[in-house]
Amino acid sequence: MTAPTTSRRSPLGLVSAEVLKIRTTNVWWLFGISMVAVTLLALGLNMLITHYQLSPPLDQMSEESRMQMEAEAAAARSTAGLIKITANLMTSGQYLGLLFALILGALVVTNEYFHQTATATFLTTPHRTAVIVAKFVAAGLFGALFWLVATVINLVVTPIYLSSEGVAVHLTDWPVIQSVLLSLLAFVMWTIFGLGLGTLIRSQIGTIIVGIVVYLVSDILLNILAPLLHNWIEKDWVLGLPVIAPATASTIMITPGRAFEHAPPQWAGLLVMIGYVVILGGLGILLTRRRDIS
């Protein structure tokens, strides 16, 4: 019996092969269309919220509420407030978009096991670390594509909307640019997160369910539990604990200043996400190298 043919593809060749695998499925463009819809929906909601931040209906409020809302509107119209608003508008669609990136990353590896093509892949290119790294890069490229779709839409709409509200547009301020770039990093990170999760679980349905639970449920639970725990411990740092939920860490990472009261700084969210990606990515490579592929 003839032994399987092996090849020593260049790193670029391996990445190209993985990109081609993704392109030959319907998932990436279905997610791309969904990304457009989610971004438009989130942008519309953010614009509505922003309108009431900048121009609250004061005539419908009591005197006490009116004074508070006037102070909040003045803060929103300050330079710092407008920078935060602009960054929020420019990253519209990220919350659900990152979930798409996670699922895409998971499918990149679980599809191989589901369709039983993993054996052929690793026999053709036996250097498993190179293959899994190529998958990381290919998935990250599509995560970046999702980010680009959302960013282009936001870039077109945001300055038009802010001008219509009669406020300064701060697109070129560094905190806004930084948020947009960190959003790109978040999309890439979440594809690697999903891919690493897929190598751990292998089951396509199981990986997607666990990924959704990790993304949505951990975020919701920690944001509910933190105030309850604060009532018991009475330490303000407890209110920052939701940062250990990866979805919250991503939000903190891209938000100028503080994402919410008592939230840790941006670098804390970034470090949490780096930790998750390094652990899951490293475990993904380790398990792929050691596991039987049959």
Side-chain angles (χ1 to χ4, degrees), residues 165-178:
E165 289 287 341
V167 296
V169 180
H170 291 272
L171 284 178
T172 57
D173 284 53
W174 172 242
V176 176
I177 296 172
Q178 183 184 54

Side-chain angles (χ1 to χ4, degrees), residues 211-270:
I212 292 173
V213 168
V214 168
Y215 189 85
L216 296 177
V217 178
S218 68
D219 182 40
I220 294 169
L221 281 178
L222 280 168
N223 279 282
I224 292 173
L225 290 174
L228 296 177
L229 193 59
H230 178 258
N231 290 335
W232 177 42
I233 296 180
E234 297 183 350
K235 299 290 184 180
D236 286 346
W237 62 264
V238 174
L239 295 173
L241 280 180
V243 71
I244 64 177
T248 303
S250 297
T251 300
I252 290 171
M253 183 176 86
I254 69 161
T255 305
R258 302 282 177 170
F260 52 86
E261 190 176 6
H262 302 299
Q266 285 180 277
W267 59 261
L270 177 61

Side-chain angles (χ1 to χ4, degrees), residues 102-117:
L102 182 155
I103 295 173
L104 177 69
L107 292 177
V108 166
V109 66
T110 56
N111 268 344
E112 294 264 22
Y113 296 112
F114 181 78
H115 295 290
Q116 298 183 336
T117 58

Side-chain angles (χ1 to χ4, degrees), residues 32-225:
I33 293 172
S34 300
M35 192 72 225
V36 172
V38 163
T39 301
L40 290 173
L41 181 63
L43 187 56
L45 180 61
N46 284 337
M47 288 191 296
L48 184 62
I49 293 171
T50 299
H51 174 74
Y52 282 101
Q53 282 182 312
L54 297 174
S55 306
L58 300 176
D59 56 337
Q60 301 174 19
M61 300 179 183
S62 64
E63 184 175 352
E64 183 178 348
S65 297
R66 189 184 304 119
M67 292 177 62
Q68 180 181 349
M69 292 304 297
E70 283 178 342
E72 291 179 2
R77 288 178 175 271
S78 68
T79 299
L82 290 174
I83 286 175
K84 191 167 185 176
I85 284 172
T86 304
N88 185 48
L89 291 170
M90 282 298 299
T91 54
S92 295
Q94 174 178 283
Y95 189 78
L96 289 179
L98 293 180
L99 186 57
F100 294 156
L102 182 155
I103 295 173
L104 177 69
L107 292 177
V108 166
V109 66
T110 56
N111 268 344
E112 294 264 22
Y113 296 112
F114 181 78
H115 295 290
Q116 298 183 336
T117 58
T119 300
T121 296
F122 291 125
L123 288 178
T124 303
T125 310
H127 303 283
R128 296 190 184 185
T129 300
V131 172
I132 203 69
V133 169
K135 289 182 183 294
F136 285 150
V137 175
L141 289 173
F142 279 88
L145 179 61
F146 293 167
W147 166 86
L148 182 62
V149 168
T151 301
V152 168
I153 294 171
N154 295 331
L155 183 60
V156 170
V157 176
T158 296
I160 298 173
Y161 169 72
L162 290 176
S163 296
S164 72
E165 289 287 341
V167 296
V169 180
H170 291 272
L171 284 178
T172 57
D173 284 53
W174 172 242
V176 176
I177 296 172
Q178 183 184 54
S179 289
V180 173
L181 294 177
L182 287 172
S183 178
L184 168 60
L185 181 60
F187 272 93
V188 173
M189 282 179 159
W190 275 100
T191 58
I192 298 173
F193 188 106
L195 206 153
L197 201 61
T199 59
L200 292 176
I201 300 173
R202 293 177 119 183
S203 164
Q204 198 168 80
I205 295 175
T207 301
I208 292 173
I209 291 173
V210 170
I212 292 173
V213 168
V214 168
Y215 189 85
L216 296 177
V217 178
S218 68
D219 182 40
I220 294 169
L221 281 178
L222 280 168
N223 279 282
I224 292 173
L225 290 174

